[in-house]
């Protein structure tokens, strides 16, 4: 079975959306900004839940034996993010720009 790439894949995806939704709406409008805003507001109203940043800050910094840490966000590639190489030359923890995990160099002196 051939893989669909480029314009063919987009054309097929657009056709599938028309078939499923009965409209010619573009793929870029699947999630509107109103939905995202209301979801965020709903999340922030419940003060019993911790924010994502509070949760990630509870994870202790990860010790790395080298000067460079490699972060993928998760051991499962489907749940992670692009590979980020993080320099650990400073004394304070370095933070992954994608997931917020913190890394420190483990000095073996």
């Amino acid at each position: 079975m051939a893989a669909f790439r480029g314009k063919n894949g987009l054309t097929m995806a657009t056709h599938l959306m028309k078939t499923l939704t009965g409209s010619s709406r573009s793929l870029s409008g699947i999630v509107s900004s109103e939905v995202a805003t209301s979801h965020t507001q709903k999340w922030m109203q419940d003060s019993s839940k911790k924010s994502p940043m509070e949760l990630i800050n509870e994870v202790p910094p990860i010790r790395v034996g080298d000067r460079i840490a490699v972060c993928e966000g998760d051991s499962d590639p489907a749940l992670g993010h692009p590979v980020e190489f993080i320099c650990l030359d400073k004394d304070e923890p370095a933070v992954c720009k994608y997931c917020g995990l913190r890394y420190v160099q483990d000095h073996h002196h």
Side-chain angles (χ1 to χ4, degrees):
M1 186 165 136
F4 293 98
R5 292 189 181 104
K7 189 171 172 103
N8 260 353
L10 183 59
T11 303
M12 286 197 63
T14 303
H15 178 69
L16 180 62
M17 281 297 295
K18 286 180 186 177
T19 303
L20 294 174
T21 64
S23 83
S24 60
R25 189 172 82 176
S26 74
L27 291 173
S28 63
I30 292 174
V31 177
S32 69
S33 61
E34 295 87 23
V35 170
T37 302
S38 65
H39 175 76
T40 302
Q41 288 171 347
K42 184 178 177 182
W43 176 273
M44 297 307 288
Q45 285 177 353
D46 188 354
S47 61
S48 67
K49 292 183 181 177
K50 293 182 180 180
S51 74
M53 288 309 293
E54 290 172 324
L55 291 171
I56 201 71
N57 283 332
E58 289 179 357
V59 177
I62 299 166
R63 297 197 167 278
V64 178
D66 297 321
R67 289 182 53 225
I68 304 293
V70 179
C71 185
E72 295 179 285
D74 193 83
S75 59
D76 181 354
L79 300 175
H81 56 65
V83 175
E84 175 72 10
F85 295 92
I86 304 167
C87 181
L88 304 176
D89 286 343
K90 297 183 179 178
D91 289 333
E92 64 270 358
V95 180
C96 175
K97 67 181 178 184
Y98 292 107
C99 65
L101 286 174
R102 296 170 293 154
Y103 294 88
V104 293
Q105 188 174 9
D106 191 13
H107 299 282
H108 299 289
H109 298 291

